[in-house]
Amino acid sequence: DDIGEMPSLEEFLAMDEAEEQKVIRRERHQIKQAAKEVVRVKTLDSEGRATGVGRRKSAIAKVWLTSITDLQATPTFSVNKRHPVDYFHALEHRMETVLPFTCTGTTGHFDVEASVTGGGHSAQAGAIRLAIARALQNYEPSLRPALKSDKLLTRDWRKVERKKPGQPKARKKFQWVKR
């Protein structure tokens, strides 16, 4: 039986009260779902670039993606106006920054300009990864399911826990002495 199909008047009058309530709840649910559905559109700035902001621990990254029209041209990737190999010495951090491109199959289709502040190298790589994923989603909304399935659009909210008074660290306690 089709969920979207409305019962006829005779069927509606023949229903008992429990069935009527089910039909009414189903209609309300469909109306809510239709209102909740978000239509995503391509959003670019005045220069035709897709932008994204990413955060991880205390690092904040802003990314601008520019589509390469000529596929023969080599794409550029800069982090704070430096090449990623010069900026990130660890291979894991460089791999993490390009993960959104490899998951969506858009490697080499964009020029990337990233500006990142705060945090260490690991946090900055995570912030750039999230910013690139958000910028890709802004440039091409059809890439959202691929990015979402690989959990690239999820912000990692873990931060350093504060030190508490009367303790040497956030969770560590001083050694207990009986007397």
Side-chain angles (χ1 to χ4, degrees):
D1 112 272
D2 189 17
I3 293 175
E5 190 175 300
M6 284 290 299
S8 66
L9 183 60
E10 294 83 24
E11 291 172 342
F12 194 74
L13 293 174
M15 289 183 198
D16 62 338
E17 194 166 320
E19 288 183 33
E20 288 179 31
Q21 292 299 321
K22 281 184 182 178
V23 169
I24 291 170
R25 268 187 267 136
R26 188 179 330 142
E27 289 173 7
R28 286 183 186 156
H29 180 72
Q30 288 174 348
I31 292 169
K32 283 182 184 177
Q33 290 298 324
K36 202 189 296 186
E37 191 174 305
V38 177
V39 178
R40 299 193 182 273
V41 294
K42 187 176 189 175
T43 53
L44 303 175
D45 64 2
S46 60
E47 297 177 24
R49 303 177 300 182
T51 60
V53 176
R55 294 176 184 86
R56 169 92 166 78
K57 293 184 179 181
S58 60
I60 300 171
K62 294 177 188 123
V63 167
W64 294 271
L65 295 181
T66 309
S67 179
I68 297 176
T69 53
D70 182 19
L71 294 177
Q72 302 297 330
T74 56
T76 60
F77 195 119
S78 68
V79 179
N80 290 347
K81 298 182 181 177
R82 290 166 57 188
H83 196 273
V85 176
D86 299 332
Y87 195 82
F88 293 116
H89 300 294
L91 179 64
E92 299 87 44
H93 298 152
R94 293 194 299 263
M95 294 291 288
E96 187 175 6
T97 57
V98 296
L99 190 62
F101 294 120
T102 56
C103 291
T104 57
T106 55
T107 307
H109 290 86
F110 295 96
D111 285 336
V112 181
E113 184 182 335
S115 171
V116 62
T117 58
H121 289 295
S122 181
Q124 287 185 352
I128 290 172
R129 184 189 83 176
L130 178 61
I132 288 174
R134 287 179 174 171
L136 276 172
Q137 170 192 295
N138 289 340
Y139 184 81
E140 187 56 57
S142 64
L143 297 175
R144 181 177 168 82
L147 293 166
K148 205 163 172 67
S149 67
D150 290 329
K151 296 180 176 60
L152 295 175
L153 292 173
T154 305
R155 158 72 152 101
D156 188 356
W157 288 101
R158 295 177 297 167
K159 287 194 172 190
V160 177
E161 195 172 330
R162 67 174 284 267
K163 179 196 175 302
K164 277 74 169 189
Q167 296 176 200
K169 292 166 77 174
R171 301 266 176 126
K172 188 177 182 180
K173 311 286 192 284
F174 289 114
Q175 185 173 351
W176 181 76
V177 181
K178 189 172 181 180
R179 289 186 216 328

